[in-house]
Amino acid sequence: MSRPRAVVAGASGFVGSALGHAFRADGYDVRTIGRTGADATWQDPAGVRDLVDGADIVVNLAGKSVDCRYTDANRNEILRSRVETTRALRDAIGVAAAPPVWLNASTATIYRYALDRPQTETAGELGTGFSVDVARTWEEEFFAGELPGTRRVALRMAIVLGDGPATRILVRLARTGLGGPQHDGWWFPHRRYRGIGPHPTGDGRPPWHRSRGHQRFSWIHLDDVVGAVRFVRDHQAIEGPVNLAAPAASDNAALMAALRRVVGAPVGLPAWRFMLEPAMWVLRTEPELVLKSRWVAPETLTDAGYAFAYPELEPALKDVVSSLGRRRG
């Protein structure tokens, strides 16, 4: 008998690579869709159709990294790369004689800035502005139209702890003595976070809150991203948006304190927005990574019985920092 087929789009990133390895370990024939060096490219619709027709599962992680400055060109590409690749897959799956289960990446940033309570799939409130509009438009494209033979799940991922850009930035801050809490506050007006897409939201002004380092930090270990994908794949009743976040959300001050302990940094200087803005400009990324309060609870996963490998933050950080050290060695 032939092996089951898994198709991974956006397989070159650290999440996609981990999923590819996991599917191969599960006995799947893993095929990829990407820009270059893949089994099919986005410029080859017939090749994409051939891959997804008869596949058991398709996981789409394609999209430009948000680890960049939100220039007009980058903003447009962040949105375009997500919407157009999702539409291409929906078109291919829509004509498939044997359609697959379809899991599509999304982001926990779709929810509002939350300090009062965690945001769940059933009771969460969507936010406004650029990042939210990207997520909202992305999911609208994903769930558009009728695909009666396909179970669709939007993976609303929190910040993934692993060999990725968010983790590397946080570890670098801690190791260089800048691992104190990050404080939001006033900054010169700009329009990088203004709404985007067919229905832009917000007033165009950059939001800021006097969080005093207590903005919430929702996260998930890479192993639990892989574990959750396997769990969703095997549980036919799960569909719609699913929050991929560990149950024990932290806040920024506790996160940075744990990082300092893990990397052995005795001192961590606090940083205010007026310090973070120029520092993040040098790093070519955005302070939203550490200043937005993301408080997301994995209601669907926990109600369905998923057991997290890393439910607590500090053991997850120890594992990730240890892995980063082994790779450098």
Side-chain angles (χ1 to χ4, degrees), residues 34-167:
R35 288 172 294 183
T36 57
D39 295 297
T41 67
W42 298 111
Q43 292 72 39
D44 177 19
V48 173
R49 288 194 297 270
D50 288 343
L51 282 188
V52 303
D53 195 354
D56 293 83
I57 184 169
V58 170
V59 182
N60 179 28
L61 303 167
K64 176 179 172 57
S65 171
V66 294
D67 181 30
C68 63
R69 296 294 287 178
Y70 292 168
T71 63
D72 286 352
N74 285 341
R75 282 164 43 91
N76 291 335
E77 182 60 15
I78 286 169
L79 179 63
R80 185 206 65 79
S81 61
R82 284 159 174 74
V83 171
E84 291 188 4
T85 54
T86 300
R87 182 182 302 137
L89 283 174
R90 196 185 70 244
D91 291 345
I93 291 171
V95 297
V101 173
W102 183 12
L103 279 59
N104 211 71
S106 182
T107 172
T109 301
I110 196 169
Y111 297 110
R112 65 172 172 84
Y113 186 106
L115 288 172
D116 55 335
R117 62 177 178 85
Q119 305 295 295
T120 65
E121 297 93 337
T122 57
E125 299 171 296
L126 304 190
T128 59
F130 171 67
S131 296
V132 172
D133 287 350
V134 168
R136 191 196 304 263
T137 308
W138 197 6
E139 288 194 9
E140 287 174 355
E141 189 67 43
F142 176 53
F143 287 115
E146 296 293 328
L147 294 177
T150 299
R151 179 165 58 100
R152 287 180 276 187
V153 179
L155 304 172
R156 291 180 174 174
M157 277 184 270
I159 292 174
V160 179
L161 300 182
D163 190 12
T167 307

Side-chain angles (χ1 to χ4, degrees), residues 28 66 75 81 97 174-175 182 308:
Y28 283 79
V66 294
R75 282 164 43 91
S81 61
R175 282 183 169 147
Q182 283 98 29
F308 282 82

